[in-house]
């Protein structure tokens, strides 16, 4: 079974489980969106809409909201010292068609639950009663590179030199050009 839908001023021929890239549609990834402008429903028998089919819709899952490649619009008027450069990235939505519905049916596939963020691992400090042998080598290893960095910084910075005393000014032309000498 297939359908022809209209969204974003364009028409798309879709079937179940198709992945399509359309103009931006509101919805977060994982949500189900429904398109009501169905122009044609086909399969064993074809139903044409005038202009759309009443009660027909297409349900799709939002996979991604993104932006396309940058398009540069550069205009130049020669010999006029006039240039205009603009960049544009068109927004799009990546959809997976879940089902084609007729006769006013509601989507049976629901939105996937949003994944919960993974908790960060908790690092505990050893108590004074417990032996700290397992953590001691790690702590020493961590301190060594820090000490090396401090030594490197000290090596890189030379001691300040005393300022030079200015010599007596001589009568030289300031321009440095090849002018007449007086």
């Amino acid at each position: 079974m297939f359908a022809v839908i209209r969204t974003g001023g364009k028409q798309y021929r879709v079937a179940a489980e198709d992945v399509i890239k359309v103009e931006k549609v509101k919805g977060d990834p994982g949500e189900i969106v429904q398109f009501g402008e169905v122009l044609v429903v086909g399969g064993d028998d074809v139903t044409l809409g005038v202009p759309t089919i009443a009660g027909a819709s297409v349900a799709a899952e939002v996979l991604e909201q993104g932006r396309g490649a940058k398009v540069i619009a550069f205009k130049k008027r020669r010999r006029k010292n006039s240039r205009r450069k603009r960049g544009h990235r068109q927004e799009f939505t990546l959809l997976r068609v879940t089902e084609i519905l007729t006769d006013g049916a509601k989507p049976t596939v629901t939105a996937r639950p949003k994944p919960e963020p993974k908790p960060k691992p908790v690092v505990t400090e050893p108590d004074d009663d417990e032996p700290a042998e397992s953590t001691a080598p790690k702590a020493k290893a961590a301190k060594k590179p820090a000490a090396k960095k401090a030594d490197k910084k000290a090596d890189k910075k030379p001691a300040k030199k005393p300022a030079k005393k200015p010599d007596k000014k001589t009568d030289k032309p300031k321009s440095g050009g090849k002018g007449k000498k007086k």
Side-chain angles (χ1 to χ4, degrees), residues 110-126:
T110 58
R112 292 183 296 160
K114 292 183 180 178
E116 295 180 12
K118 295 180 182 178
K120 294 182 180 178
V122 179
V123 179
T124 58
E125 295 292 327

Side-chain angles (χ1 to χ4, degrees), residues 7-180:
T7 179
K10 299 177 183 72
Q11 296 176 8
Y12 299 91
R13 182 187 187 275
V14 296
E17 299 301 317
D18 280 355
V19 176
I20 58 172
K21 192 177 193 179
V22 300
E23 296 289 324
K24 185 170 182 172
V25 177
K26 287 186 180 179
D28 294 326
E31 287 185 11
I32 301 294
V33 294
Q34 202 166 356
F35 298 100
E37 286 192 85
V38 179
L39 307 174
V40 176
V41 173
D44 294 337
D45 57 336
V46 177
T47 307
L48 296 175
V50 185
T52 60
I53 300 172
S57 63
V58 172
E61 177 187 2
V62 177
L63 298 178
E64 177 187 353
Q65 296 281 12
R67 296 173 75 191
K70 184 177 278 191
V71 177
I72 303 294
F74 184 78
K75 298 178 181 178
K76 181 179 178 181
R77 294 169 192 90
R78 60 189 187 150
R79 297 184 303 273
K80 306 288 189 221
N81 195 22
S82 172
R83 287 183 256 188
R84 181 76 64 228
K85 181 178 178 181
R86 276 197 179 161
H88 175 74
R89 293 181 68 186
Q90 185 67 36
E91 294 182 333
F92 69 87
T93 303
L94 198 63
L95 300 170
R96 177 183 291 124
V97 177
T98 55
E99 53 193 338
I100 298 170
L101 307 164
T102 56
D103 302 327
K106 298 288 181 192
T108 58
V109 179
T110 58
R112 292 183 296 160
K114 292 183 180 178
E116 295 180 12
K118 295 180 182 178
K120 294 182 180 178
V122 179
V123 179
T124 58
E125 295 292 327
D127 295 334
D128 293 335
D129 297 339
E130 295 178 16
E133 294 173 11
S134 61
T135 57
K138 292 178 184 175
K140 287 181 182 176
K143 289 182 181 178
K144 286 181 182 178
K148 287 182 181 178
K149 288 181 181 177
D151 293 339
K152 287 181 182 177
K153 288 181 181 178
D155 292 341
K156 288 183 182 177
K157 292 183 180 179
K160 288 189 175 182
K161 297 178 183 176
K164 291 183 179 180
K165 294 181 182 178
D167 295 334
K168 279 188 175 181
K169 291 188 177 181
T170 57
D171 294 332
K172 293 183 180 177
K174 290 185 179 181
S175 65
K178 296 182 180 179
K180 285 186 178 179

